[in-house]
Amino acid sequence: MPSTPEPVRPGRKRSESSRTAILTAAWELTVELGYPGLTVEGIAARAGTGKQTVYRWWPSKADVLLDALALKADVQIGLDDHGSYAADLRQFLDRSFALGLDPSVMRVMRTLMAQAQIDPEFGACFREQFLARRRAAFEILAGRAVERGDFPAGRSPALDARIVFGLLWYEVLAAPPPLDSGSADAAPHALVDALFGLLTRSLAPEELA
């Protein structure tokens, strides 16, 4: 499964077990206490490591949380090859919206997006290590469809990525009222169904004129 390599940071090579413990601690504490209650000291204590270990690998608590979010997306969404754009897209959309609209994940995404607006340095990291990373993952999926010849005519992988993530971020940030689909639980499924139908439909020549 293709994946985007992690950015290389200066300093001592990370212990994978320590890294996992730190990322898990940051996520758990954010869910329990909220972002204002998250501290590097708290992360280190929960992970059973020293504060300097955290700072050696990440410049701030926001960067730790960003890595935790990126890892969660890589693991839970994946890029399995099911042999067609329609099948690959359905899995990608189902998993992306299920993850992004999970209440705890939604809070983290909102928090990091807000932090990216007020901290230019973190904003650059957020765009590179999460936004661009998720777009690149989608474009791998779409690129396979182009090679197979089953990517819908009249669009590009980059445009489809903008449609997918534009709608996902609207749902995360704007918190719109549920769709008229019978229940709040059914709304994300209705949304994915509509988006899936749009993205798997080839545009007819008259629609391109």
Side-chain angles (χ1 to χ4, degrees):
M1 181 182 75
S3 61
T4 304
E6 284 192 71
V8 178
R9 290 187 172 90
R12 201 177 306 171
K13 184 177 180 180
R14 288 191 282 204
S15 157
E16 191 59 31
S17 60
S18 294
R19 173 180 180 265
T20 300
I22 291 168
L23 296 180
T24 300
W27 192 273
E28 290 176 348
L29 289 169
T30 302
V31 171
E32 293 169 15
L33 306 174
Y35 186 71
L38 181 68
T39 64
V40 171
E41 291 82 358
I43 294 170
R46 175 69 65 93
T49 189
K51 182 174 68 172
Q52 290 308 313
T53 299
V54 179
Y55 278 125
R56 185 181 304 127
W57 298 330
W58 295 277
S60 71
K61 67 178 186 178
D63 290 278
V64 184
L65 195 55
L66 174 60
D67 261 9
L69 177 63
L71 178 61
K72 188 176 286 287
D74 286 346
V75 170
Q76 294 192 23
I77 296 172
L79 288 171
D80 300 334
D81 187 347
H82 297 281
S84 72
Y85 183 56
D88 289 354
L89 179 65
R90 166 58 75 176
Q91 176 178 281
F92 190 89
L93 292 177
D94 283 342
R95 293 182 177 180
S96 293
F97 278 79
L99 180 65
L101 300 184
D102 175 89
S104 63
V105 177
M106 188 183 294
R107 285 194 294 273
V108 169
M109 290 175 70
R110 288 173 177 170
T111 293
L112 294 179
M113 178 62 86
Q115 186 67 20
Q117 308 314 303
I118 61 176
D119 180 343
E121 186 174 351
F122 176 75
C125 290
F126 183 68
R127 288 189 294 273
E128 177 185 348
Q129 296 174 26
F130 187 68
L131 300 183
R133 184 168 173 161
R134 297 316 308 155
R135 285 196 304 270
F138 180 87
E139 288 175 9
I140 288 172
L141 175 156
R144 288 200 302 249
V146 171
E147 291 176 2
R148 283 191 301 258
D150 68 344
F151 188 82
R155 295 198 308 271
S156 69
L159 177 59
D160 275 18
R162 291 178 75 99
I163 294 170
V164 169
F165 294 115
L167 182 54
L168 177 57
W169 276 103
Y170 173 75
E171 293 295 310
V172 169
L173 295 177
L179 297 172
D180 184 14
S181 54
S183 73
D185 290 340
H189 298 291
L191 191 66
V192 168
D193 287 344
L195 188 55
F196 177 76
L198 169 68
L199 294 180
T200 53
R201 180 171 65 91
S202 294
L203 298 180
E206 60 270 19
E207 294 178 287
L208 299 175

